[in-house]
Amino acid sequence: MTDAPPFSVADLEAIVRTRLSGEGAPSYTRSLAKKGVGKCAEKFGEEAVEAIVAAVQKTPDALTKEAADVVFHLTVLLAVSGVSWQAVMDELRTRTAQSGLEEKAKRLAP
């Protein structure tokens, strides 16, 4: 554990959105976004697979790093798609108001 100040997904989202706005030095985030939502989605998928591999191989340090990559790339994907983390959290709040089985049954109902 470090003495660094707390860091949240909201902090990450703010950094990503600043980089996407074109402010400051050239960034990986901006160069990825310029390639479009498809490339952002592809990169997110690659990172998700790497996290899965790290989990299956039972390498916690690698999984931690890959999970960070997943969250970062999901944040970029959400931003270029016009979706905020707040919208995601609101959806999760709605879903957790009921059991997962009830929520799934509602989605599958004709």
Side-chain angles (χ1 to χ4, degrees):
M1 191 154 246
T2 67
D3 292 332
F7 188 77
S8 69
V9 173
D11 295 329
L12 176 61
E13 182 177 36
I15 292 166
V16 165
R17 289 187 184 278
T18 297
R19 290 180 181 165
L20 292 177
S21 74
E23 298 174 20
S27 74
Y28 167 78
T29 305
R30 194 172 323 120
S31 66
L32 177 60
K34 284 182 178 181
K35 294 176 183 173
V37 70
K39 185 64 176 176
C40 294
E42 178 184 325
K43 189 64 181 167
F44 168 69
E46 289 172 12
E47 298 300 342
V49 169
E50 290 173 8
I52 292 165
V53 170
V56 170
Q57 292 177 343
K58 299 181 180 175
T59 52
D61 289 342
L63 178 55
T64 299
K65 290 177 174 137
E66 295 303 338
D69 288 344
V70 167
V71 172
F72 169 76
H73 285 91
L74 177 56
T75 303
V76 173
L77 179 59
L78 290 170
V80 299
S81 299
V83 176
S84 69
W85 267 107
Q86 187 59 55
V88 174
M89 299 312 288
D90 290 346
E91 178 63 22
L92 286 170
R93 182 179 299 109
T94 300
R95 290 182 182 193
T96 57
Q98 59 188 328
S99 81
L101 295 174
E102 290 172 331
E103 188 275 330
K104 186 174 183 177
K106 287 179 184 176
R107 283 189 285 133
L108 297 176

